[in-house]
Amino acid sequence: MKILVINAGSSSLKYQLIDMDSSEVMAKGLCERIGIDGKFSQTAGDREIKMDVAMPSHAEAIAQVISAITDSENGCIADLSEITAVGHRVLHGAETFKESVLVTPETMAGMEELVPFGPLHMPGNLMGIRACEKAMPGVPQVAVFDTSFHQTMDPVAFMYALPYKYYEENHIRKYGFHGTSHKYITRRTAEMLGKSSGEVNLISCHLGNGSSICAVQNGKCVDTTMGFTPLEGLIMGTRSGNLDPAAIFEIMERENLTPAQANDLLNKKSGFLGLSGVSSDMRDIDAAIAEGNTRAKLARDMLVYQVKKYIGSYLAVLGRVDAITFTAGVGENGIELRRDIVSGLEHLGIELDEKRNDTRRCEALISKDSSKVKLFVIPTNEELMIARDTREIVEAL
Ligand SMILES: Nc1ncnc2c1ncn2[C@@H]1O[C@H](COP(=O)(O)OP(=O)(O)O)[C@@H](O)[C@H]1O
Ligand SMILES: CC(=O)OP(=O)(O)O
Ligand SMILES: [Mg+2]
């Protein structure tokens, strides 16, 4: 069974074509700068494609993906009919979709209603589904939600202390995101500890362009840092993370901003980019720090401080913690960042092994043998999780 997995972001689209029988990733690629100019790359075995392609919307990106995987020279399948099903990452399931679902006219209508809950991601997610429907009519498609893994949170963790009617009537509450990644990290961490998922307590740190931390008890999410949207929690590439809402009312009044402009300010102009004035990208932040940029250093120090603070609070929530796992672009590559996050936590049984920590982008135990809490780096694999859910739903049809 060959499954195409589409992970559509606000301005990018990652994809993998996976042969589920052999677990082989037949092709893997990335469409970047959708809506700006358009850059495309794909690897299929030892064959590579890299080119500039105009991609005004996600529809052109999907067309490019299809053309690349079926390319006679550098592709990996002769015809689209080889694809059994398509799995899509969808940002927001809210309280409507607690688990992955088959895409039907009804579920599609339900997802349309959630666009206001995820204005940066949902339009691209849904456009990706529609474009695949058009290119592969009749091929089953499955939606896998970033929110699903967090559905096990208790109301004490997910409620906001707003007038209750906003929860009852408008479903305003914490949902949490990166759930597919946190679920994968939970499973892999359990495997590395020689435990079943249901036995493991961990703190999963997904630190990328978007970042979130998840507290997992007996394999289930009990709390997470992102909220109603992926804006809450940690400082991120362009997102502010937590702040006093009164601060934004003050700015809105002062600069006469509309709610949409304020949303844009917090989601796209804040975080590392807004603080440093340099970039949203951690590699650029590191380079700026090396040149003595104090605002870039402040942004990085804030991330370290905030992750440390959440680790402390989730240790309190969980009681026993078997492991802390780092994943995503910054978590997998940030050797010094990981060191700084866990330094000073030795009294809590968290002991980093500096030599083991000298690793990037591969699975590794990075704590000392004497460390009560094990520390791991595990590259995330959202695409594999999406493919597995897709197979399960399609096989049950
Ligand atoms: N070698 C590296 N060292 C430090 N940070 C890195 C490295 N490689 C990638 N990153 C950072 O990872 C982030 C992107 O993470 P990623 O998980 O790919 O993001 P997303 O999926 O949210 O787009 C960027 O800030 C990037 O700078
Ligand atoms: C939910 C979210 O923030 O996703 P990403 O990290 O891909 O931006
Ligand atoms: Mg990501």
Side-chain angles (χ1 to χ4, degrees):
M1 180 188 281
K2 293 180 185 126
I3 294 179
L4 178 63
V5 176
I6 304 286
N7 179 348
S10 44
S11 70
S12 71
L13 187 153
K14 295 178 194 165
Y15 66 95
Q16 286 188 18
L17 182 64
I18 306 175
D19 183 338
M20 296 303 283
D21 305 316
S22 63
S23 299
E24 181 204 352
V25 176
M26 302 173 68
K28 186 176 179 165
L30 173 65
C31 306
E32 286 179 285
R33 298 173 65 86
I34 298 171
I36 308 170
D37 40 21
K39 290 207 176 304
F40 176 81
S41 59
Q42 171 179 286
T43 316
D46 56 5
R47 303 173 303 283
E48 270 195 51
I49 308 176
K50 243 188 174 75
M51 59 205 267
D52 294 339
V53 197
M55 291 185 267
S57 77
H58 286 72
E60 290 81 16
I62 293 283
Q64 177 54 37
V65 171
I66 288 167
S67 138
I69 55 180
T70 53
D71 186 85
S72 56
E73 238 174 79
N74 295 307
C76 58
I77 51 172
D79 193 90
L80 285 184
S81 60
E82 290 183 43
I83 296 175
T84 312
V86 187
H88 296 265
R89 177 187 179 200
V90 177
L91 180 84
H92 221 311
E95 291 189 324
T96 316
F97 301 107
K98 301 196 167 168
E99 288 172 8
S100 305
V101 292
L102 184 72
V103 175
T104 63
E106 291 74 34
T107 57
M108 200 59 184
M111 287 186 259
E112 297 278 5
E113 282 179 22
L114 298 177
V115 169
F117 282 35
L120 292 182
H121 295 79
M122 291 298 279
N125 295 161
L126 300 186
M127 210 184 278
I129 295 177
R130 274 191 228 97
C132 284
E133 237 162 29
K134 211 165 154 200
M136 292 169 262
V139 171
Q141 299 197 66
V142 169
V144 178
F145 301 92
D146 245 34
T147 44
S148 295
F149 184 64
H150 305 297
Q151 287 291 331
T152 47
M153 277 189 288
D154 192 81
V156 295
F158 75 62
M159 283 297 289
Y160 293 133
L162 291 168
Y164 200 73
K165 69 166 189 170
Y166 295 109
Y167 172 61
E168 279 186 313
E169 292 170 19
N170 308 110
H171 307 283
I172 294 183
R173 48 160 280 190
K174 178 190 278 280
Y175 287 101
F177 298 88
H178 292 139
T180 307
S181 173
H182 291 303
K183 185 174 171 184
Y184 175 79
I185 293 303
T186 298
R187 295 208 177 161
R188 254 333 267 154
T189 302
E191 280 167 11
M192 289 176 81
L193 289 168
K195 290 187 173 217
S196 72
S197 291
E199 292 173 319
V200 75
N201 284 8
L202 79 143
I203 300 171
S204 167
C205 304
H206 178 112
L207 310 177
N209 183 39
S211 297
S212 72
I213 304 186
C214 182
V216 178
Q217 190 158 47
N218 299 324
K220 294 198 163 77
C221 166
V222 292
D223 204 351
T224 190
T225 57
M226 282 181 167
F228 176 60
T229 72
L231 180 58
E232 191 182 336
L234 299 165
I235 172 177
M236 303 177 221
T238 60
R239 286 169 245 174
S240 63
N242 288 345
L243 48 76
D244 180 345
I248 194 66
F249 305 145
E250 173 65 22
I251 296 171
M252 286 173 79
E253 217 163 276
R254 215 176 267 264
E255 301 198 346
N256 212 1
L257 300 185
T258 62
Q261 287 170 320
N263 199 21
D264 211 55
L265 176 76
L266 295 175
N267 272 293
K268 296 187 177 169
K269 297 178 183 156
S270 299
F272 291 152
L273 176 67
L275 274 172
S276 70
V278 173
S279 170
S280 61
D281 193 295
M282 196 55 160
R283 286 163 290 198
D284 300 336
I285 293 289
D286 283 340
I289 294 171
E291 286 167 13
N293 186 318
T294 51
R295 274 165 43 187
K297 175 152 184 346
L298 172 66
R300 179 192 183 275
D301 289 350
M302 284 170 68
L303 176 66
V304 168
Y305 177 76
Q306 292 177 10
V307 175
K308 194 191 286 268
K309 197 160 78 168
Y310 274 118
I311 287 176
S313 63
Y314 288 164
L315 282 168
V317 165
L318 293 170
R320 189 198 87 230
V321 172
D322 303 310
I324 299 170
T325 302
F326 293 93
T327 193
V330 175
E332 292 164 27
N333 291 291
I335 296 170
E336 291 85 12
L337 196 100
R338 293 192 298 256
R339 181 198 63 205
D340 295 349
I341 288 169
V342 298
S343 84
L345 302 184
E346 295 78 9
H347 65 291
L348 297 169
I350 299 168
E351 300 174 63
L352 186 82
D353 183 309
E354 296 254 4
K355 223 164 138 197
R356 289 178 181 169
N357 184 44
D358 191 13
T359 179
R360 290 179 199 276
R361 287 216 182 273
C362 50
E363 285 191 347
L365 173 78
I366 57 167
S367 50
K368 288 186 182 158
D369 291 338
S370 56
S371 187
K372 226 169 68 198
V373 178
K374 304 294 171 216
L375 301 169
F376 292 106
V377 175
I378 301 180
T380 196
N381 196 340
E382 292 159 302
E383 286 76 14
L384 178 65
M385 298 302 282
I386 294 169
R388 283 184 185 160
D389 271 21
T390 304
R391 174 173 62 186
E392 203 174 304
I393 287 178
V394 168
E395 279 179 347
L397 287 178

